[in-house]
Amino acid sequence: MMQINCPWCGLRNATEFKQHGEKPPRPDVANATREQWADYLYFRNNTWGVVKEQWFHSSGCRQFFMLHRDTFANKAIRSEGDVR
């Protein structure tokens, strides 16, 4: 089972979290085409290797944070977040 280090709660079981995937840059609202919006909303890179993903601690502190994860080994490498 994968263990994830929550920036607020510490090391927890992966079943406490929800993955929200990549967070691509948002297109410019005033100048974006329909194709750019479709790419932003529906398509992801699905990279094989180390990726930076947004996760949500649904069964804990209910905070979003970014997690660097190796998709090949399915291991959490490190997490980053705003500890307030």
Side-chain angles (χ1 to χ4, degrees):
M1 179 64 62
M2 185 169 65
Q3 298 281 306
I4 296 175
N5 187 30
C6 174
W8 292 270
C9 303
L11 196 62
R12 298 286 193 263
N13 196 322
T15 58
E16 293 187 16
F17 299 88
K18 300 290 184 217
Q19 179 189 29
H20 285 256
E22 299 173 47
K23 188 175 179 189
R26 185 179 172 137
D28 180 29
V29 176
N31 300 322
T33 64
R34 292 176 66 94
E35 290 79 19
Q36 288 172 319
W37 278 112
D39 287 346
Y40 171 73
L41 293 172
Y42 302 113
F43 297 104
R44 299 295 182 256
N45 291 332
N46 199 18
T47 305
W48 185 255
V50 178
V51 295
K52 184 177 177 180
E53 302 169 320
Q54 187 174 38
W55 285 68
F56 179 64
H57 195 177
S58 58
S59 296
C61 61
R62 305 195 57 80
Q63 297 289 325
F64 283 94
F65 64 95
M66 299 305 288
L67 177 73
H68 297 262
R69 183 173 70 95
D70 183 352
T71 58
F72 178 73
N74 195 30
K75 286 187 178 181
I77 298 170
R78 70 180 177 91
S79 57
E80 54 189 55
D82 293 332
V83 179
R84 296 178 196 189

